[in-house]
Amino acid sequence: MDLGKLLSIIKSIPKEKLKTDAGLKEVIRDLGKKSGKNFTDQELTRYVAQFRTMYKNEDVGSLLNKLAKKGITPNDVQAFKKKFK
């Protein structure tokens, strides 16, 4: 999946779905189907819990640090930002 397609999928997610666990499960299930994966209820519950933990504990600096450890450069982040505009 290319970055453009991923960005269009992310932009299409209604923000109100990210506010409830049921909405998050629906979003994760739909994203999984688009990538050819079917998640069990246990997996969905675990992913929702991970999302909630990240949402509460992470900030921009810590996320950028994690991305850097995965090989994402600051230039990659800037290109990513430009595609969201």
Side-chain angles (χ1 to χ4, degrees):
M1 182 178 295
D2 68 13
L3 185 59
K5 188 173 181 180
L6 180 61
L7 289 174
S8 67
I9 291 170
I10 291 170
K11 285 181 180 180
S12 71
I13 297 171
K15 290 186 181 185
E16 63 271 0
K17 285 191 177 186
L18 301 178
K19 295 179 182 178
T20 65
D21 287 354
L24 278 170
K25 284 183 180 181
E26 186 179 331
V27 167
I28 294 168
R29 184 178 291 118
D30 290 345
L31 291 174
K33 286 181 183 177
K34 289 179 181 179
S35 65
K37 297 180 181 182
N38 289 315
F39 298 118
T40 65
D41 285 335
Q42 286 178 325
E43 289 172 317
L44 289 171
T45 302
R46 190 175 69 239
Y47 289 138
V48 167
Q50 286 176 342
F51 179 85
R52 293 284 181 215
T53 301
M54 282 181 54
Y55 183 76
K56 289 178 185 175
N57 298 328
E58 300 291 341
D59 60 14
V60 174
S62 64
L63 289 175
L64 288 175
N65 189 28
K66 287 181 180 183
L67 288 172
K69 288 179 182 177
K70 295 287 185 181
I72 306 294
T73 67
N75 291 337
D76 295 332
V77 173
Q78 290 303 320
F80 194 68
K81 282 182 180 179
K82 286 179 185 175
K83 290 186 184 258
F84 263 111
K85 291 182 180 181

